[in-house]
Amino acid sequence: MTSKLKLSFSNDAPKGDCITICLISEDSVIIPTLDKDVAAQVIAKMASAQFTGKKGTSLSLYLDEGTYLLVGVGETVKAGIHAETVGGKLFTALAATPQKRGWLPPHKFADEVAGDIIFGVELAAYHFEQYFTETDSVEASVQLVVSNEFITEDDRVLADRQALAKGVALARDLIFEPANKLYPEAFADRCASLSSLGLEVEVLDEADMEALGMGALLGVGQGSRRESRMVVMNWRGGKDEAPLALVGKGVTFDTGGISLKPAKGMEDMKWDMGGAAAVTGAMAAIAGRKVKRNVVGVIGLVENMPDGNAQRPGDVVTAMSGKTIEVINTDAEGRLVLADALHYSETRFEPAMMVNLATLTGAIIVSLGKEYGGLFSNSDELAAQLTQAGMATEEKLWRMPMGKAYDKMLKSHIADMKNIGGPYGGSITAACFLERFVSKTPWAHLDIAGKAWSDKASATVPKGGTGFGVRLLNRLVDNWTPAHITTNDN
């Protein structure tokens, strides 16, 4: 994890060249606890500069007592996305100052709000610079000292948010990594290191998967000299209840195989493991937060390459479930990986529900752009809970249709099914394909092809790897309500 932030906590303001940060709202004029004379000067300077505390604005003031950085928060700060965005804007404003060193004095915020502000600061501070060797390419770190009256270092809310921030950062790190550094075995090693958080981590190699009959997953990776892996991360935070299962597609590089992709933009296919990254980051956060539920994360890790041993269009493979698949297009490989991962997760763990995440189809970007992830589900109740979690975390989902008419498009003349359904409704037929490997478990498929990587930064999300799904999954697990969960008959 790379962060431009050096965060510390103290009862006293630091000495020297340090900026005092004031979060200013439109309705109450001034929020921080300041000396009366200083507050009067700040208000006077605000008036002369016509600074109103509008959300996203900032202003530097130079007083005899020191430098003050005002950050507008709009209306009174609310817990959640609003407070996180304030934290992101705070970091950006401080990073733009020559000093890059700030003091956050006491403000009259509840712990939930204060914790979310610091969470937003930490999300905004993420920066991947692992492979820079020239010092002028490495951005200077930002120092932020937080008053223990703003929020104490051992506060429960703060600890929770910091564990969540680490999970997001882990997912972003994995997505940013180049494929020559992060291949299936290396990815599995990263997961194994999470045992230090209390996760039970199990790695299945190709021999293990072959013994289980995972012909769909293994077929994708057979053209690569990098061996495939499956990783199981188990968090036993609950009692004896069935676990919640999170399943991720982890294609560490996707050339398309024999159905080779165009050269332009192929370098982006290092992040075709965004679903696996989200599940890994989510499991790290769940363990770090010590969530009182049983949760299992399963990720299938492969590299899709076009060598002489690669899977061919027209091949037929047998999945772990025993179903046969005619491979029409080797670039529709993620669903083959998930077919075995879903069946394995369901039959081994008998979960209360399953959610899989995958950068599965370009068709979902055509449908939804880059504003929403696609949501497909056999359960209205699970879909509703996921939608609510997405709205609360600004990781928004839009439910898409499924049904028999789409499922029929997968009919093969020589096997149980084809791996693609034709030129129309590509993201929908992909979801229908996955549903064939789920029995009666409440299940949802999240197609995050438009959300795992961003072409532009926002207040708390960098340009590049977003870590989309980590916060969403944690919110879902926190608020999971199992009562009356049913599956639909399509």
Side-chain angles (χ1 to χ4, degrees), residues 399-419:
R399 192 174 186 186
M400 301 287 286
M402 296 178 68
K404 292 180 180 178
Y406 295 108
D407 188 72
K408 288 179 180 178
M409 297 167 69
L410 296 169
K411 182 176 176 60
S412 166
H413 70 291
I414 64 167
D416 295 330
M417 70 197 82
K418 300 183 296 185
N419 74 326

Side-chain angles (χ1 to χ4, degrees), residues 47 163 186 231 263:
V231 180

Side-chain angles (χ1 to χ4, degrees), residues 293-369:
R293 291 190 187 277
N294 295 330
V295 188
V296 61
V298 177
I299 58 174
L301 303 172
V302 302
E303 186 177 64
N304 189 19
M305 299 292 281
D307 84 343
N309 193 48
Q311 186 167 252
R312 295 160 291 259
D315 283 0
V316 174
V317 296
T318 303
M320 181 184 174
S321 67
K323 295 177 181 178
T324 56
I325 306 161
E326 181 185 8
V327 180
I328 301 297
N329 189 321
T330 65
D331 194 24
E333 84 300 328
R335 65 201 70 184
L336 299 174
V337 174
L338 287 172
D340 282 339
L342 285 167
H343 181 77
Y344 175 80
S345 300
E346 184 175 42
T347 55
R348 176 178 173 183
F349 296 103
E350 300 181 352
M353 66 83 171
M354 291 195 298
V355 177
N356 74 255
L357 294 88
T359 51
L360 204 65
T361 68
I364 200 66
I365 306 176
V366 175
S367 300
L368 300 176

